[in-house]
Amino acid sequence: MERHLSEQEIIRRENLNKIIEMGINPFPNETFEISHSAKEIIENFKEGSEDFGSVQLAGRLMSQRVMGKASFAEIQDSSGRIQIYVNRDEICPGENKTLYNQIFKKNLDLGDIIGIKGHVFITQTGTISIHVKALVLLSKSVKPLPVVKTDAEGKVHDGVSDPEFKYRQRYVDLTVNPEVRSTFIKRTKMINAMRKFMTDRGYLEVETPILQSIYGGAAARPFKTHHNALDTAFYLRIANELYLKRLIVGGFDGVFEFAKDFRNEGMSRFHNPEFTMMELYVAYKDYNWMMDLMEEMIEYVAQEIHGTTKVKVGDNIISFKRPWKRFTMFEAIEHYTGIDISNMDEAELRTTAKSLKIHVDDTMGKGKLIDEIFGEQCEHHLIQPTFITDYPVEMSPLAKKHRTKEGLVERFEVICNAKEICNAFTELNDPIDQRKRFEDQLELGKRGDEEAMQLDEDYLRALEYGMPPTAGIGIGIDRLAMIMTNAESIQDVLFFPQMKPEKNKD
RNA sequence: GAUCGCUUAGCUCAGCUGGUAGAGCAACGCCCUUUUAAGGCGUGGGUCCUGGGUUCGAGCCCCAGAGCGAUCACCA
């Protein structure tokens, strides 16, 4: 098949061929030993010290300033960039100057991956650099990378900013925009910190099925697939809640999983069809205990990532320092609207919602109305992490009824930067009540609610054997990562966000 | 799903009331040769997202479509 190549791509292929003709393998197999990273050298080199007398490092050639028999260039490794100084007669000590005159000056291109050996010194202008004694090509780049330069005022020129380019070709985005790399490193640090926090407390990290014949644990439309050998429909999980609780039935005191979940719904700045949720279930605890744990864990996570509990997000500074504010849902609504809805019936709630200019329709029940009022009137005010507790029972078919408050369940969410970042309950462990809640969901399903839960007989069977009182939580890892990295879109915290398939232009 | 916006060189972007395509960086060549976004001179590079239409003439106007984005709806 004919491929259209740009002028620059053709030139690079010609350079590749010239290198091959000179008997050099542009894609060698051998290990290249690396003694230091660019960052280590820049952070630790002291003028006049004998340290770094001999270093080897490898990376991409990112700029090249050739001046006859001496040149400066920059290489970028996984830690950052460092300047190198290449002198013709030092890398070509004999009569043959081909390596410098031909290969280094002509046939190497920006983006090529090279290995160098030399010693560290400081130039007249005060830049820590590597004086190169030997240079080897490790991999040729035949497609030009966008060249990003930062000028003296710190202004960035020609950074790749087209979102489609960034997300489809994340490998280029990562190479060219250093802050993208640091976002993803923070994401991993965050997950590692959470894992350590929970493992240190003795909770067991587990894996549960992604292909489920009955999907459950959340209200959402699933992706459906088919197993050929069994000739059976399967769903990609929308949550793993019911499986983790089966493990609590089985006798584990604490289990957690970082789970990829899948929901067949709209995409937005805050929604990707596949996303990561961390769910944790701990036996013999309730939601009050879980609130304390959540605060402690996230405060710890912020400290691990940023070295402080204060995190800048957009124009706000968010403080994760304990304790966080706690509101019941009714208190929050009264606080932001001045209206006490705690004793209202459905008709009064509907009137109240209308008076607040909230779009209502006849299918909305009590729980939905309360949720809408909260969502419209309160959520956007909640920038600092805030616990919202005690939700209407209709919205929470897996949560235990409140110990004292009629019509409510023991549930909390944390709202932070105006978005929900977790959802937790005192888990419903009464199999009789759970069956009734599932049946109510089936009714909703019959009335056309596509997100109503399915009745899971096996889960009920597990509860019938007896599940200890349990507290459970699900934390939206992508949402939390957005806050911890000051990202505006979920796509910025996913290496490969979901996109429509690229059309083949050839 | 609805509305609005964007799509021009490898990258970032200009392009007027419709007159046949521009800059910076990158590339190529020469000069300079310890530079700091190195500099100077020169050269090449375009399916102006795609397909139709209007027009003597379309990057620009009209229609249809694609991709991306924003807002809304949906998503507790």
Side-chain angles (χ1 to χ4, degrees):
Chain A
M1 195 166 58
E2 283 285 310
R3 278 192 63 199
H4 173 77
L5 294 177
S6 70
E7 182 198 33
Q8 292 192 40
E9 288 173 302
I10 292 165
I11 290 167
R12 281 170 182 244
R13 277 171 169 72
E14 286 168 3
N15 283 336
L16 176 73
N17 289 332
K18 282 179 196 150
I19 285 167
I20 293 168
E21 281 164 25
M22 282 183 276
I24 294 168
N25 181 356
F27 300 102
N29 301 46
E30 296 78 18
T31 298
F32 183 85
E33 293 297 339
I34 290 164
S35 68
H36 296 83
S37 71
K39 191 178 169 193
E40 276 178 296
I41 293 170
I42 285 168
E43 286 182 354
N44 297 315
F45 181 73
K46 298 275 180 308
E47 187 151 26
S49 92
E50 293 298 309
D51 302 343
F52 305 110
S54 173
V55 296
Q56 290 205 176
L57 57 173
R60 274 189 203 277
L61 187 64
M62 295 304 276
S63 71
Q64 215 180 355
R65 300 185 284 276
V66 176
M67 290 150 288
K69 61 188 164 102
S71 2
F72 286 88
E74 281 176 300
I75 62 169
Q76 173 176 299
D77 67 13
S78 64
S79 71
R81 285 191 190 191
I82 189 163
Q83 178 167 274
I84 63 174
Y85 168 72
V86 181
N87 181 294
R88 185 187 67 194
D89 296 326
E90 292 190 68
I91 65 165
C92 306
E95 284 303 305
N96 183 351
K97 306 296 183 190
T98 314
L99 174 62
Y100 183 79
N101 285 343
Q102 192 58 45
I103 298 173
F104 180 73
K105 277 170 67 172
K106 309 273 188 191
N107 303 138
L108 285 190
D109 295 299
L110 297 190
D112 287 355
I113 295 165
I114 60 172
I116 55 159
K117 188 177 181 178
H119 67 266
V120 182
F121 76 112
I122 297 188
T123 61
Q124 293 176 358
T125 52
T127 305
I128 295 173
S129 307
I130 297 168
H131 193 124
V132 176
K133 293 278 168 32
L135 181 149
V136 56
L137 175 62
L138 299 175
S139 190
K140 193 84 186 88
S141 163
V142 294
K143 200 172 174 64
L145 283 169
V147 176
V148 180
K149 290 191 172 180
T150 306
D151 68 17
E153 288 107 54
K155 249 171 56 184
V156 177
H157 296 255
D158 295 350
V160 173
S161 60
D162 174 20
E164 185 174 359
F165 192 120
K166 284 166 66 75
Y167 302 146
R168 286 202 198 277
Q169 299 187 48
R170 184 68 90 183
Y171 35 88
V172 175
D173 191 29
L174 283 163
T175 302
V176 141
N177 295 323
E179 73 285 358
V180 174
R181 167 184 293 276
S182 89
T183 293
F184 286 99
I185 291 171
K186 281 182 198 148
R187 181 184 167 116
T188 297
K189 271 190 184 169
M190 179 184 101
I191 290 170
N192 288 346
M194 292 175 75
R195 178 172 280 128
K196 179 172 192 308
F197 183 92
M198 290 183 287
T199 303
D200 284 354
R201 279 160 183 73
Y203 309 140
L204 188 71
E205 183 166 11
V206 298
E207 292 179 284
T208 63
I210 293 172
L211 284 177
Q212 304 180 347
S213 57
I214 295 174
Y215 59 92
R221 280 181 284 176
F223 285 93
K224 191 175 182 180
T225 185
H226 183 262
H227 188 281
N228 290 340
L230 295 176
D231 191 20
T232 309
F234 278 95
Y235 303 93
L236 298 181
R237 69 179 167 203
I238 57 174
N240 56 354
E241 168 156 359
L242 302 184
Y243 282 93
L244 291 177
K245 286 196 276 195
R246 283 174 171 95
L247 297 179
I248 298 293
V249 171
F252 291 107
D253 284 335
V255 289
F256 70 93
E257 181 176 14
F258 286 91
K260 266 285 179 79
D261 292 339
F262 304 82
R263 296 186 184 176
N264 203 342
E265 293 164 348
M267 290 160 64
S268 79
R269 215 148 60 80
F270 297 99
H271 300 86
N272 195 67
E274 61 180 281
F275 64 100
T276 304
M277 177 104 93
M278 196 296 297
E279 295 198 35
L280 166 70
Y281 294 83
V282 183
Y284 310 111
K285 306 297 184 191
D286 67 3
Y287 79 141
N288 292 311
W289 176 89
M290 188 62 91
M291 281 191 261
D292 296 340
L293 185 88
M294 175 73 183
E295 278 178 337
E296 193 179 343
M297 175 156 63
I298 303 304
E299 185 191 65
Y300 168 75
V301 164
Q303 190 74 41
E304 286 294 300
I305 301 172
H306 297 287
T308 165
T309 55
K310 290 185 169 37
V311 179
K312 188 170 188 310
V313 183
D315 297 331
N316 300 308
I317 304 286
I318 293 181
S319 171
F320 290 101
K321 182 96 191 125
R322 286 178 286 167
W324 302 348
K325 219 185 287 172
R326 296 183 188 193
F327 270 139
T328 68
M329 190 171 246
F330 290 152
E331 284 168 356
I333 290 172
E334 187 169 357
H335 184 264
Y336 289 109
T337 65
I339 302 168
D340 177 8
I341 63 163
S342 59
N343 294 311
M344 288 186 182
D345 62 20
E346 189 175 320
E348 289 171 302
L349 284 167
R350 183 165 279 111
T351 313
T352 304
K354 277 184 190 157
S355 75
L356 292 167
K357 300 200 171 69
I358 291 165
H359 178 76
V360 294
D361 64 56
D362 294 344
T363 69
M364 288 175 156
K366 206 175 157 178
K368 182 74 182 162
L369 286 164
I370 294 170
D371 191 64
E372 283 292 319
I373 294 170
F374 176 78
E376 289 295 320
Q377 295 292 321
C378 306
E379 215 167 62
H380 64 276
H381 293 294
L382 298 168
I383 301 302
Q384 297 303 321
T386 306
F387 291 102
I388 302 297
T389 65
D390 302 345
Y391 283 63
V393 64
E394 298 88 335
M395 315 286 303
S396 316
L398 302 168
K400 203 170 194 169
K401 280 178 183 154
H402 198 281
R403 60 197 77 182
T404 57
K405 298 173 184 170
E406 187 68 28
L408 301 182
V409 291
E410 296 195 354
R411 171 178 171 181
F412 72 83
E413 292 188 355
V414 171
I415 312 293
C416 180
N417 204 33
K419 280 283 164 189
E420 167 196 346
I421 58 169
C422 77
N423 184 17
F425 335 123
T426 302
E427 300 297 333
L428 176 53
N429 61 345
D430 172 349
I432 313 299
D433 190 6
Q434 184 67 75
R435 180 175 294 277
K436 193 179 163 304
R437 306 268 199 104
F438 274 144
E439 284 167 353
D440 292 345
Q441 288 289 310
L442 289 183
E443 272 307 307
L444 287 175
K446 279 186 197 145
R447 283 198 270 147
D449 184 345
E450 288 184 85
E451 286 155 6
M453 287 186 193
Q454 297 182 311
L455 190 148
D456 187 334
E457 278 294 351
D458 176 69
Y459 177 65
L460 286 171
R461 179 167 60 191
L463 289 190
E464 285 166 5
Y465 284 109
M467 181 171 87
T470 297
I473 188 166
I475 300 175
I477 293 299
D478 310 291
R479 298 261 178 99
L480 188 59
M482 286 170 69
I483 290 170
M484 291 297 176
T485 62
N486 192 14
E488 287 182 2
S489 168
I490 196 168
Q491 297 176 111
D492 294 330
V493 299
L494 298 170
F495 274 125
F496 303 104
Q498 199 61 242
M499 304 282 275
K500 281 200 190 176
E502 198 171 4
K503 281 213 299 189
N504 193 345
K505 287 172 188 164
D506 289 342

